[in-house]
């Protein structure tokens, strides 16, 4: 299983005290240092699970031209009309995905095209499932354009997620489902598509980043 590079400090960090405790237990013949090492080993194992980066179908089979894919693993919180005061200016539909602390947190581009705008805004760290987190929490916003098609998506931090990693910027071209960053610990992602798109998911549905189709453009090309 691939591990995202951002995860290695979190994975290796707990191993140092675990090794010291285990070595101390062997040297003294005492049992408690070896027992005390296990929580650190468990923490390291969890970090490896959190920062896992599995391949998805889009990595081997390109998505259809009209498909918008989920940018993350999680549960759909919003599907359809945008939350008040959340969407960018203009007419949009909103799909929001909540990521728990056990979901894959590597983020993927929901659609293809050129990154024409990228911004980062500091903010609060409210629970990502709360409605107001969409406009009050710290977030990164990316605008993708492919011809006359535009998709906007956001990485939004939560209570535990205190850092957004965005590995793309203006001028870069992204493929549908391409890895573009991650959020460290529980968080949410919002995707905004124009009214002419058909929303293909419902609130409460589980989705997989890079695989689940969350919207479709009209088949005009």
């Amino acid at each position: 299983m691939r591990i995202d590079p951002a995860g290695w400090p979190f994975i290796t960090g707990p191993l140092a005290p675990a090794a010291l405790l285990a070595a101390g237990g062997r040297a003294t013949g005492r049992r408690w240092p070896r027992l005390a090492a296990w929580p650190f080993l468990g923490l390291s194992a969890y970090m490896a699970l959190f920062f896992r980066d599995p391949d998805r179908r889009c990595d081997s089979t390109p998505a259809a031209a009209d498909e918008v894919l989920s940018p993350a693993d999680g549960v759909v919180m919003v599907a359809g009309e945008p939350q008040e005061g959340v969407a960018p200016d203009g007419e949009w539909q909103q799909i929001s995905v909540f990521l728990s602390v056990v979901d894959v947190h590597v983020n993927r581009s929901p659609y293809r095209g050129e990154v024409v705008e990228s911004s980062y805004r500091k903010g609060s760290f409210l629970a990502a499932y709360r409605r107001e987190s969409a406009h009050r929490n710290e977030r990164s916003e990316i605008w993708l354009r492919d011809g006359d098609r535009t998709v906007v998506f956001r990485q939004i931090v939560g209570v535990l997620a205190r850092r957004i990693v965005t590995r793309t910027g203006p001028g870069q071209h992204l493929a549908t489902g391409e890895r573009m960053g991650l959020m460290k610990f529980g968080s949410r992602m919002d995707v905004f598509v124009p009214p002419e798109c058909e929303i293909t998911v419902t609130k409460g549905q589980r989705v997989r980043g890079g695989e689940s189709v969350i919207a479709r453009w009209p088949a005009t090309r």
Side-chain angles (χ1 to χ4, degrees):
M1 176 73 69
R2 179 189 293 110
I3 300 294
D4 189 274
W8 286 114
F10 295 89
I11 297 168
T12 58
L15 295 179
L20 289 173
L21 286 166
R26 286 194 298 269
T28 62
R30 294 178 179 177
R31 186 181 179 189
W32 72 263
R34 285 174 285 179
L35 293 176
W38 281 105
F40 292 99
L41 292 173
L43 179 59
S44 180
Y46 169 73
M47 290 300 174
L49 175 71
F50 181 87
F51 287 101
R52 67 195 186 278
D53 181 12
D55 286 333
R56 293 292 164 81
R57 186 170 59 246
C58 63
D59 297 318
S60 57
T61 305
D66 300 320
E67 292 180 343
V68 181
L69 301 184
S70 177
D73 290 19
V75 176
V76 176
M77 299 170 52
V78 180
E81 288 294 319
Q83 296 172 304
E84 184 177 357
V86 172
D89 292 338
E91 297 295 322
W92 299 96
Q93 298 183 88
Q94 177 181 343
I95 304 103
S96 296
V97 178
F98 172 71
L99 296 77
S100 76
V101 293
V102 296
D103 285 315
V104 173
H105 273 60
V106 172
N107 304 149
R108 294 170 177 270
S109 178
Y111 196 60
R112 67 187 190 187
E114 180 184 358
V115 177
V116 295
E117 185 177 339
S118 177
S119 62
Y120 180 80
R121 194 198 75 175
K122 293 185 177 181
S124 304
F125 298 96
L126 303 175
Y129 56 79
R130 292 175 57 177
R131 179 175 179 176
E132 57 268 35
S133 69
H135 55 84
R136 290 179 56 185
N137 280 19
E138 194 161 326
R139 72 186 190 217
S140 174
E141 180 175 287
I142 297 168
W143 289 62
L144 273 177
R145 187 164 298 154
D146 178 39
D148 59 352
R149 296 179 173 182
T150 300
V151 171
V152 181
F153 63 105
R154 295 173 181 158
Q155 300 168 288
I156 304 173
V157 297
V159 172
L160 296 178
R162 295 301 175 109
R163 187 181 174 195
I164 296 171
V165 178
T166 304
R167 298 178 178 134
T168 188
Q172 183 175 348
H173 288 262
L174 295 175
T176 304
E178 182 177 346
R179 296 172 176 86
M180 48 68 57
L182 81 158
M183 293 175 289
K184 296 180 180 179
F185 310 105
S187 40
R188 68 182 274 178
M189 292 199 74
D190 290 352
V191 179
F192 301 95
V193 296
E196 61 265 28
C197 289
E198 174 195 1
I199 303 297
T200 58
V201 291
T202 58
K203 184 177 179 180
Q205 179 178 338
R206 279 205 62 86
V207 290
R208 285 165 59 89
E211 289 193 357
S212 300
V213 178
I214 59 174
R216 282 192 177 89
W217 293 88
T220 56
R221 47 167 151 158

